Amino acid sequence: MSLSSLTRSVAAGALLSLSASLSYAQDKPADHGDDASASYQPSLTTLGQIQVEIPGRKPGDPVMTPSEYQSSNQIYFQRCAGCHGVLRAGATGKALTTDITRENGYEYLRDFITYGSPAGMPNWGTSGEMTEEQVDAMARYLLLDPAAPPEWGMAEMRNSWKVVVAPEDRPTEKMNDIDIDNLFSVTLRDAGQIALIDGASYEIKSIIDTGYAVHISRISASGRYLFVIGRDAKVVMIDLWMKEPGAVAEIKVGSEARSVETSKFEGYEDKYAIAGAYWPPQFVIMDGDTLEPLRIKSTRGMTYDEQEFHPEPRVAAILGSHYKPEFLVNVKETGKILMVDYSDIDALKVTEINAERFLHDGGLDSTRRYFLTAANARGKIVVIDTKESTKVAVIESEGETPHPGRGANIMHPTYGPVWATSHLGDDTVALIGTDPEGNPDHAWKMVQQLYSLGGGSLFVKSHPTSNHLYVDAPLNPDAEISGSVAVFKIDELSQEEPEYTVLPIVEWAGIAEGQPRVVQGEFNKEGNEIWFSVWNAASLESAIVVVNDKTLEMKHVIKDERLITPTGKFNVFNTRADVY
Ligand code: DHE
């Protein structure tokens, strides 16, 4: 998918807000393009491609042909399911179950889809995004019961599981001269590939096929194995010791997924991998050598607060604890963080922590003991003590939609160790104290708010050896902002209104075509360079810009026709050791 179509389809996130009044005739309909947070809703494209049957007809059901139903289903998964749920039971958006849609009726739905509402519903019809026929079919589709996409259990996983090179056929020592610890795994999103790029020479060592709309990479504790997950829930395991690093195993863990991680606790290094799915709502623990699926656990269950059943709580970020043989699994819609003890996966012990709803991403503090994670639709950061398996705090980030990635750890001149997150919905950066021993007065409090380039930020980054905090803004509608990065000097953060320097990354890349977005800084192993992706449409030129962290000058631009839509970058050492 091209960047422009991605932006359009994610921009279309929340379809119907049926609680909104029908005041569209007087007010301007909401335009999701105006609001960066609305443009970052999941687009469940892979699920939309699955052929589904029209659910059994009941008296009074509207008539739809199978092809009308299939294409409406596809539109629903691309544009609406991210907010309203696969089964339309509601997620960050309202429920669209038939008890509600039938109460409102066909005309109401058709008009709502056509004109939108100021409360968040885009005007699909009048904007020309949907034809009259599509609007009519969508209104009828919503009056029918949702068709549940298929489950994906052990049989399906084992069928999809392939060991490409068996462990006994793999090298017993590293067979290449690559400095693996300084290698970067770069997501080539729309190509469904990753590029392995040498951190010193900037040379592309390999391009490896992975899953569809590939999302993130994580690295085994030893640094030998790289795990990559695509949005189609395909996990690819790559052996970095091979002469030519390549896939040694793969598996599909569901139909839609975003997260993968490996066991990092002492004694369990490289033993297990885990992947979480958006659909079906579940995670699976796999053998760390072969990806053999060992234990699947559903996340369906009660929401943490209202304690009502949720049929499809998605798995968001997963993190491997350094303090215990545990995985921390963020369950988005129930608002629970599961601490999954993998010391005996036959007698799996799961500590369920009530956190906050719509958990998304997060990372560790500088000691790696505390996990700070965003419940982004509720503007909160939840802190978990991974040593005690307890919740320590829930903090307001005081900005709209915190989106930390894994966050950034810096040594603040006044407040000591702090962790930072930027926000999707505004220009603020929240700094949270993380040192209960040395700085107890500031621990788990928002100690400072910085003002950066603008809304639409996704990632912040720093490094223990750096005096800089970098803040991107890739989803900002202004091309100058989405093409730049703000840099705060850490030793100047005690000033009343700390200023930032703007790095014109797109300009440095020398790319004039399209609106490339600068996304996700990632340091090299030494911490003296930071790399930024210049993410353009698939048909246009993209690049990676390397910045000298000391001088804040451009050091190098990596360009190659194989670098299609580069987004996330994962330095092997920093990712396996959780340095950020
Ligand atoms: Fe991501 C991490 C989900 C869109 C780039 N993204 C994550 C994580 C989740 C997530 C749950 C945490 C994984 C973990 O730590 O285990 N992302 C989602 C979505 O649901 C969403 C909003 C929409 C979708 O349909 O997927 C989405 N993500 C995007 C993008 O559009 C980005 C910018 C470009 C891309 O490549 O798709 C993007 N997401 C990333 C990156 C990370 C990530 C680079 C890892 C950051 C890190 O430093 O660890």
Side-chain angles (χ1 to χ4, degrees):
M1 200 192 328
S2 71
L3 176 62
S4 54
S5 66
L6 163 88
T7 315
R8 260 208 316 280
S9 63
V10 293
L15 173 57
L16 291 168
S17 180
L18 290 176
S19 63
S21 66
L22 266 172
S23 53
Y24 52 76
Q26 299 85 30
D27 302 317
K28 178 180 174 288
D31 176 0
H32 275 219
D34 291 345
D35 171 4
S37 6
S39 74
Y40 194 60
Q41 303 300 341
S43 168
L44 306 182
T45 348
T46 13
L47 268 179
Q49 280 158 12
I50 296 174
Q51 295 292 316
V52 284
E53 298 285 320
I54 302 182
R57 279 201 78 205
K58 295 195 293 297
D61 270 357
V63 177
M64 289 193 91
T65 65
S67 81
E68 275 179 330
Y69 188 81
Q70 190 60 43
S71 53
S72 303
N73 195 58
Q74 203 163 341
I75 293 175
Y76 180 79
F77 278 103
Q78 275 172 7
R79 300 184 155 175
C80 329
C83 282
H84 298 284
V86 169
L87 303 174
R88 308 208 310 246
T92 46
K94 300 278 175 201
L96 293 172
T97 41
T98 45
D99 52 329
I100 300 167
T101 56
R102 286 177 173 226
E103 174 86 32
N104 288 294
Y106 169 82
E107 277 87 13
Y108 179 97
L109 293 169
R110 182 199 57 202
D111 292 349
F112 231 94
I113 300 169
T114 306
Y115 299 106
S117 88
M121 173 70 180
N123 52 334
W124 296 110
T126 51
S127 69
E129 290 264 357
M130 278 191 206
T131 63
E132 218 171 295
E133 290 72 37
Q134 282 174 326
V135 171
D136 160 62
M138 276 311 284
R140 284 179 288 137
Y141 169 85
L142 291 172
L143 291 167
L144 291 170
D145 284 327
E151 295 296 320
W152 194 270
M154 191 49 95
E156 290 79 11
M157 284 197 201
R158 289 194 86 86
N159 266 340
S160 72
W161 172 48
K162 267 190 239 154
V163 178
V164 185
V165 183
E168 57 277 20
D169 300 329
R170 294 180 202 157
T172 49
E173 58 187 41
K174 189 158 85 74
M175 300 301 285
N176 56 51
D177 58 4
I178 301 170
D179 176 6
I180 288 177
D181 262 355
N182 201 21
L183 196 65
F184 285 70
S185 172
V186 179
T187 296
L188 303 179
R189 191 187 186 283
D190 295 5
Q193 296 175 320
I194 55 134
L196 295 180
I197 306 185
D198 182 69
S201 66
Y202 313 122
E203 188 193 330
I204 298 181
K205 294 286 183 187
S206 322
I207 301 274
I208 297 169
D209 288 335
T210 56
Y212 167 84
V214 53
H215 201 194
I216 66 161
S217 295
R218 294 289 187 244
I219 285 121
S220 73
S222 74
R224 172 174 183 173
Y225 291 113
L226 180 71
F227 297 84
V228 182
I229 192 152
R231 281 179 171 75
D232 57 357
K234 183 168 159 183
V235 180
V236 176
M237 175 178 172
I238 294 158
D239 184 358
L240 299 177
W241 277 14
M242 297 200 311
K243 198 163 183 336
E244 270 275 316
V248 289
E250 61 177 59
I251 189 170
K252 224 166 116 54
V253 298
S255 347
E256 279 279 347
R258 302 292 184 272
S259 49
V260 67
E261 176 59 309
T262 72
S263 55
K264 293 198 172 142
F265 185 62
E266 211 183 322
Y268 293 87
E269 293 95 341
D270 296 20
K271 191 168 167 56
Y272 295 119
I274 180 173
Y278 272 13
W279 185 269
Q282 62 194 24
F283 61 85
V284 55
I285 299 175
M286 298 163 284
D287 181 278
D289 265 341
T290 61
L291 291 182
E292 180 180 7
L294 303 173
R295 177 89 197 230
I296 307 171
K297 182 112 180 64
S298 171
T299 52
R300 290 183 169 111
M302 300 300 181
T303 55
Y304 92 93
D305 45 2
E306 288 159 6
Q307 307 205 28
E308 296 292 342
F309 181 74
H310 200 289
E312 46 166 311
R314 292 173 275 194
V315 175
I318 303 182
L319 191 123
S321 168
H322 295 269
Y323 278 82
K324 281 183 170 177
E326 283 185 342
F327 291 122
L328 282 79
V329 176
N330 272 0
V331 187
K332 208 183 253 292
E333 281 77 16
T334 53
K336 292 176 183 171
I337 298 173
L338 308 181
M339 313 215 42
V340 181
D341 179 341
Y342 53 72
S343 60
D344 181 353
I345 59 165
D346 198 37
L348 198 70
K349 288 187 282 300
V350 178
T351 306
E352 242 186 56
I353 297 186
N354 284 345
E356 182 51 282
R357 281 218 231 170
F358 314 117
L359 293 163
H360 193 67
D361 50 0
L364 295 171
D365 76 310
S366 58
T367 67
R368 304 192 303 184
R369 173 169 170 177
Y370 299 98
F371 176 49
L372 293 99
T373 186
N376 52 16
R378 296 241 165 124
K380 302 262 172 57
I381 302 295
V382 180
V383 185
I384 300 292
D385 180 349
T386 65
K387 191 172 172 192
E388 303 296 338
S389 305
T390 52
K391 177 172 66 188
V392 177
V394 180
I395 306 154
E396 296 272 350
S397 72
E398 292 177 32
E400 198 187 313
T401 323
H403 189 283
R406 284 166 292 168
N409 288 297
I410 58 177
M411 183 58 83
H412 194 286
T414 311
Y415 305 110
V418 304
W419 178 90
T421 180
S422 56
H423 292 80
L424 254 163
D426 61 34
D427 60 349
T428 63
V429 178
L431 302 186
I432 293 169
T434 59
D435 181 21
E437 311 249 300
N439 289 277
D441 291 350
H442 305 127
W444 319 131
K445 291 186 184 126
M446 205 187 99
V447 293
Q448 190 173 8
Q449 192 172 44
L450 306 174
Y451 303 95
S452 185
L453 285 170
S457 176
L458 292 178
F459 301 104
V460 286
K461 190 69 72 170
S462 192
H463 186 276
T465 64
S466 171
N467 184 37
H468 296 129
L469 172 67
Y470 296 82
V471 187
D472 69 9
L475 296 185
N476 195 289
D478 181 327
E480 216 172 301
I481 293 179
S482 66
S484 304
V485 163
V487 192
F488 291 90
K489 285 206 181 335
I490 294 169
D491 60 6
E492 291 178 3
L493 287 179
S494 296
Q495 293 174 2
E496 206 165 309
E497 278 227 359
E499 289 187 355
Y500 57 80
T501 306
V502 180
L503 308 185
I505 303 287
V506 167
E507 198 185 306
W508 286 347
I511 295 178
E513 254 192 305
Q515 186 187 337
R517 293 161 194 277
V518 174
V519 68
Q520 203 241 13
E522 176 78 345
F523 272 89
N524 64 348
K525 185 188 171 203
E526 218 182 311
N528 58 5
E529 285 175 5
I530 181 164
W531 296 22
F532 288 97
S533 299
V534 178
W535 172 26
N536 212 344
S539 56
L540 300 177
E541 187 178 50
S542 286
I544 291 172
V545 170
V546 180
V547 175
N548 179 328
D549 176 61
K550 298 288 167 280
T551 62
L552 297 184
E553 282 162 356
M554 189 265 281
K555 185 164 181 193
H556 189 80
V557 178
I558 310 175
K559 281 192 184 172
D560 189 294
E561 60 185 18
R562 294 169 294 172
L563 275 189
I564 298 165
T565 57
T567 55
K569 297 161 298 307
F570 305 89
N571 172 272
V572 168
F573 179 81
N574 293 335
T575 307
R576 77 180 166 88
D578 285 296
V579 177
Y580 33 81

